[in-house]
Amino acid sequence: MINAQDIKNGVCIRLDNQLYFCIEFLHVKPGKGNTFMRTKLKNVVDGRVLERRFNIGEKLEDVRVERRPYQYLYMDGDDAIFMNQETFDQIPINKEIVSGSAFMKEGDVVLLQNTRFRGAEETKNGEKFSKELADLADLYVCDAFGSSHRAHASVAGVTKFITAKGGQNVVGYLMEKEINFLGKAVEDPVRPFVAILGGAKVADKLNVISNLLEKCDTLIIGGGMAYTFLKAKGYEIGKSLVDDTKIDYCKEMMEKAEKLGKKLLLPVDSVTIADFPNPIDAPVEVQVYDVTNMPADREGCDIGPKTAALYAEAVKTAKTVVWNGPMGVFENPTLAAGTIAVAKALAETDATTIIGGGDSAAAVNQLGFADKMSHISTGGGASLEFLEGKELPGVAAADDK
């Protein structure tokens, strides 16, 4: 027995020996002339929607709330059994779990729960879980570029068992597009090839910088990572973001560029602030300084107008441009000018323009330039590893690569 008020959205109840989800309810409070609630209940087995009205305070003897949380569904014949995480983890996935795969007809789709809920079984590429996933299918299609750099059970492990049973492992249309654009940019670009790297940390892009110097004609550095390069050149950078452990690395990369005959462009001026805005989009006063003359009490948070013009000019001569990472704190309108200038330069060029996911993709979308780009990657981490020259597990596992 329950009170009518116990029926809320997402609650699972047994009514007339049938299981229902409450998908909608209107709770009319007493004192308004109406003391009832209207509900819509969806039968979890056949999908029928039942509308019921209950009086406020009514004791419902023929209704009971089933165990919660009901995140998982196991079909046993005609019965739908709901279970919590602990119970679910004890049942192999290849039984008729989640919406009843045993009842599938041609053209039907079964959506499994997020595989990350399986914890280490997924992220550590567990053999048992990989086989359970493979037991559900004859063919495997990977179309999740944003996860393709992870050697997880649902990305890599499953493919071994699909192959063992005589099936095929292929990539989807999105993966194909990502591979074509990024792969061609790295391995066979139409030249001149300009690569633009931004973002906060040099450490995040160590191998990307080194690999791209061997591939591109011009490498442009912006964002917070630029200040470590500027300090490596001996400039005062004030309170700007810096990674002192990467000073020698930056020197090595500048020497490598010179040795290879590549252009390595760094900021020549910087938009500076006295204190970082809190919240990040709060109004802030700025001053622009040449990088040779930055005060010790200022923090660089965007490339300056001279740098923006320099970078835009480099983009104009390019035939292929890859961009990963914003030029400054683009979340703040006052500090977004450099990122806007680079995005505008890419939007106006006739070159093939590839945005490498993550913050640069967010910036392009947020600033309204998305439809002007040749390709915007769906995977920040995956695109970075691709630009590093790494083989992605989700690509390596495909038979049609």
Side-chain angles (χ1 to χ4, degrees), residues 129-304:
F129 184 45
S130 296
K131 186 176 185 304
E132 288 174 10
L133 289 170
D135 285 346
L136 290 172
D138 299 311
L139 304 173
Y140 172 76
V141 180
C142 181
D143 209 20
F145 182 73
S147 299
S148 64
H149 61 306
R150 299 187 175 104
H152 289 181
S154 63
V155 175
V158 61
T159 63
K160 179 175 74 172
F161 294 100
I162 291 289
T163 299
K165 65 197 291 187
Q168 283 185 292
N169 303 292
V170 299
V171 297
Y173 293 122
L174 173 63
M175 283 278 285
E176 181 182 38
K177 185 180 179 185
E178 295 273 14
I179 293 166
N180 286 342
F181 270 99
L182 288 168
K184 184 174 176 60
V186 173
E187 299 302 333
D188 187 27
V190 179
R191 297 187 183 275
F193 173 24
V194 174
I196 307 171
L197 293 179
K201 300 175 183 177
V202 175
D204 292 342
K205 296 182 171 71
L206 290 177
N207 296 326
V208 179
I209 294 169
S210 182
N211 190 52
L212 284 178
L213 275 176
E214 297 174 7
K215 308 286 186 180
C216 70
D217 301 297
T218 300
L219 178 60
I220 293 173
I221 302 291
M225 62 188 294
Y227 296 100
T228 303
F229 276 90
L230 293 173
K231 186 170 182 179
K233 287 178 70 92
Y235 296 142
E236 170 65 60
I237 60 168
K239 300 188 296 183
S240 305
L241 188 67
V242 65
D243 185 345
D244 286 320
T245 67
K246 298 296 182 289
I247 296 290
D248 288 341
Y249 173 82
C250 291
K251 290 178 180 178
E252 290 172 14
M253 290 302 100
M254 289 186 283
E255 290 170 4
K256 181 175 182 175
E258 186 175 0
K259 190 176 296 183
L260 293 173
K262 306 297 179 69
K263 290 181 181 177
L264 177 58
L265 300 184
L266 296 172
V268 294
D269 61 345
S270 179
V271 175
T272 69
I273 59 176
D275 296 294
F276 200 83
N278 184 22
I280 197 169
D281 59 351
V284 62
E285 294 291 332
V286 301
Q287 294 176 9
V288 179
Y289 291 92
D290 287 348
V291 296
T292 56
N293 192 35
M294 187 183 294
D297 61 348
R298 305 287 294 182
E299 178 179 359
C301 283
D302 191 17
I303 59 173

Side-chain angles (χ1 to χ4, degrees), residues 23-92:
I23 58 174
E24 181 181 320
F25 80 101
L26 175 63
H27 190 171
V28 183
K29 294 182 178 179
K32 300 292 184 180
N34 295 310
T35 58
F36 62 87
M37 56 184 288
R38 290 193 297 269
T39 64
K40 286 187 179 180
L41 307 171
K42 186 170 184 177
N43 191 297
V44 299
V45 175
D46 59 25
R48 288 182 298 111
V49 175
L50 174 70
E51 294 193 19
R52 284 288 297 264
R53 184 173 121 167
F54 302 103
N55 292 322
I56 299 295
E58 180 181 356
K59 301 291 186 181
L60 306 175
E61 296 187 4
D62 61 337
V63 179
R64 78 169 190 264
V65 173
E66 292 293 313
R67 290 180 300 127
R68 291 181 290 167
Y70 297 103
Q71 300 172 8
Y72 313 100
L73 173 63
Y74 172 58
M75 300 302 298
D76 183 11
D78 291 331
D79 292 329
I81 301 171
F82 291 86
M83 61 194 71
N84 59 24
Q85 175 78 55
E86 182 180 358
T87 307
F88 178 83
D89 286 345
Q90 296 173 3
I91 298 180

Side-chain angles (χ1 to χ4, degrees), residues 295-366:
D297 61 348
R298 305 287 294 182
E299 178 179 359
C301 283
D302 191 17
I303 59 173
K306 295 177 186 176
T307 305
L310 175 68
Y311 290 1
E313 191 62 33
V315 167
K316 283 181 184 177
T317 63
K319 291 299 180 185
T320 303
V321 184
V322 172
W323 179 22
N324 188 292
M327 297 293 99
V329 186
F330 76 96
E331 298 91 343
N332 188 299
T334 308
L335 304 171
T339 301
I340 292 172
V342 170
K344 189 170 184 293
L346 266 67
E348 293 175 350
T349 183
D350 60 355
T352 298
T353 50
I354 302 164
I355 311 302
D359 283 342
S360 44
V364 165
N365 282 298
Q366 181 178 315

Side-chain angles (χ1 to χ4, degrees), residues 356-375:
D359 283 342
S360 44
V364 165
N365 282 298
Q366 181 178 315
L367 299 171
F369 292 105
D371 61 339
K372 304 294 185 184
M373 305 302 165
S374 305
H375 177 64

